[in-house]
């Protein structure tokens, strides 16, 4: 449901007041860009992988245990890269606000989510004039 101009203006005023009153809390509530976090993790995993390759090759020339450390570093880097690349359950890479096309609005059955139930209650209140 779209906000009216008055509601949008009030919301912007409240956000500005919160940012002025407690900037640290406002920054915490904004959160981080999850896509950027995943991208950074993948980049660090790539750097770790190439460092592991370098240790593996250096270990072949010097001590065998250096090669083992390089292999473990390569393995850990691949594991981090796979978890950073894989789409997660929190909706990264998806538009989590887009409704499910298979559901009809207001189908508040036993498997309906919390937000669906709350939206249905909101619609009923709006229709009844409260």
């Amino acid at each position: 449901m779209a906000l009216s101009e008055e509601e949008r203006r009030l919301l912007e005023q409240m956000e500005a007041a919160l940012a002025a009153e407690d900037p640290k809390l406002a920054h915490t509530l904004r959160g981080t860009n999850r896509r950027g976090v995943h991208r950074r993790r993948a980049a660090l995993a790539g750097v770790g992988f190439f460092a592991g390759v370098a240790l593996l090759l250096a270990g072949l020339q010097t001590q065998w245990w250096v090669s083992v450390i390089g292999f473990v570093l390569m393995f850990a880097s691949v594991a981090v890269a796979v978890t950073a690349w894989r789409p997660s359950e929190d909706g990264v890479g998806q538009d989590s606000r887009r409704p499910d096309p298979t559901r009809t609005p207001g189908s508040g059955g036993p498997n309906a989510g919390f937000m669906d139930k709350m939206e249905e209650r909101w619609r009923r209140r709006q229709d009844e004039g409260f």
Side-chain angles (χ1 to χ4, degrees), residues 100 103-121 123:
D100 185 7
R103 296 198 55 172
T104 58
S107 61
N111 294 331
F114 174 76
M115 290 305 294
D116 294 328
K117 291 177 184 177
M118 295 303 289
E119 287 176 6
E120 179 60 29
R121 288 180 187 169
R123 282 190 205 104

Side-chain angles (χ1 to χ4, degrees), residues 14-38:
M14 290 170 51
E15 288 175 353
L18 175 66
E21 185 177 314
D22 194 354
K24 187 176 179 183
L25 176 64
H27 178 71
T28 302
L29 291 177
R30 279 188 203 113
T32 60
N33 183 359
R34 292 199 182 251
R35 186 171 293 169
V37 170
H38 288 292

Side-chain angles (χ1 to χ4, degrees), residues 71-87:
F71 178 77
V72 169
L73 182 60
M74 287 169 48
F75 184 77
S77 296
V78 167
V80 169
V82 166
T83 58
W85 177 61
R86 173 182 67 189

